[in-house]
Amino acid sequence: MKIGKPFNTLNKSEYIHYLDNYKKYSDFNTLGLYRSLCENEKLNTNDRIEIRDYANQFFGKTFQFYQLKDPLTYFSLITLGKEMTVADEGKIWEDIKKNQQNILSEKRINHRNFGDYSKHNCGYDDCRYNGLMIKQGSALTEKSIHFNSDKNSFEAKNKSERIKKQRKNSSKIIKDELDDLNL
């Protein structure tokens, strides 16, 4: 069977019905479900929180993976109905970043091309590259996952250049000293 209509047009009872019977529907999309909770204007905040918590009973692991796959949706959902200060938001984003790093290391994933991080999305509606899958580190990349523990490739290159200069200069210094001794 198919649901046949977007999640953001459903009411609370329909959400509950589709969640209870999600295995019967071939077009059931968990990310679409969670995103629709942010977009659905038929629901009040309490209904959204209740549906989110009910959906987490079925898709708790998937919801936690959205920290890596779609962090903006995850942030929107965990802050539903909460009064937030800038410091609170910063703390939540730091927690999300730590959890992203933990998920990558636990699952032994070496790449960081996930969800929002794998597509070009510059914000311009007329951009011909919007939605295009991109390679990590390409010129079209808009955002990327990075952690404080990551190696700084620019620093490594600078260090290499500095050592190379020192090697070249050391032979010149030795040659100059030998020349001074021969005088």
Side-chain angles (χ1 to χ4, degrees):
M1 289 193 306
K2 292 191 177 226
I3 296 172
K5 56 183 172 179
F7 279 117
N8 61 0
T9 60
L10 303 177
N11 60 32
K12 181 181 172 184
S13 61
E14 290 174 320
Y15 271 108
I16 301 298
H17 169 74
Y18 288 127
L19 282 168
D20 287 337
N21 303 303
Y22 74 93
K23 290 182 181 178
K24 294 180 183 177
Y25 297 100
S26 60
D27 63 342
F28 190 88
N29 179 357
T30 55
L31 182 57
L33 167 83
Y34 283 115
R35 282 185 179 163
S36 73
L37 291 175
C38 300
E39 301 168 356
N40 195 335
E41 298 192 12
K42 290 182 178 180
L43 302 173
N44 62 30
T45 306
N46 292 331
D47 290 343
R48 291 177 187 186
I49 293 169
E50 188 177 330
I51 294 169
R52 176 200 64 196
D53 294 340
Y54 190 69
N56 284 345
Q57 293 175 4
F58 300 102
F59 309 113
K61 272 180 109 174
T62 306
F63 182 68
Q64 292 303 319
F65 190 73
Y66 289 149
Q67 292 179 79
L68 189 62
K69 187 175 181 179
D70 191 359
L72 290 175
T73 302
Y74 180 81
F75 177 80
S76 299
L77 287 171
I78 63 171
T79 59
L80 272 175
K82 294 182 181 176
E83 294 293 324
M84 304 287 292
T85 64
V86 175
D88 293 337
E89 289 179 14
K91 172 72 171 115
I92 290 174
W93 280 112
E94 284 301 314
D95 291 343
I96 288 173
K97 192 168 242 180
K98 284 180 193 172
N99 291 338
Q100 286 176 338
Q101 194 169 11
N102 290 340
I103 290 169
L104 287 171
S105 64
E106 284 174 9
K107 294 188 180 286
R108 296 183 185 147
I109 300 172
N110 294 326
H111 68 89
R112 296 179 183 174
N113 237 13
F114 287 97
D116 287 346
Y117 300 110
S118 66
K119 295 181 182 176
H120 178 78
N121 185 12
C122 62
Y124 296 108
D125 294 333
D126 59 344
C127 180
R128 65 183 183 159
Y129 299 116
N130 272 349
L132 179 72
M133 296 291 284
I134 53 176
K135 185 177 179 181
Q136 184 178 2
S138 76
L140 292 174
T141 304
E142 290 296 317
K143 52 189 170 182
S144 62
I145 301 174
H146 57 279
F147 306 113
N148 292 337
S149 61
D150 289 347
K151 282 186 177 178
N152 185 346
S153 61
F154 297 111
E155 185 60 37
K157 187 174 181 182
N158 289 340
K159 183 178 180 182
S160 168
E161 292 292 326
R162 188 175 64 244
I163 291 172
K164 184 177 177 183
K165 269 186 187 178
Q166 287 175 350
R167 272 197 321 266
K168 286 183 177 183
N169 287 341
S170 66
S171 63
K172 183 180 177 200
I173 291 170
I174 292 172
K175 183 180 175 192
D176 288 344
E177 287 182 9
L178 288 174
D179 288 342
D180 288 343
L181 289 175
N182 290 336
L183 291 177

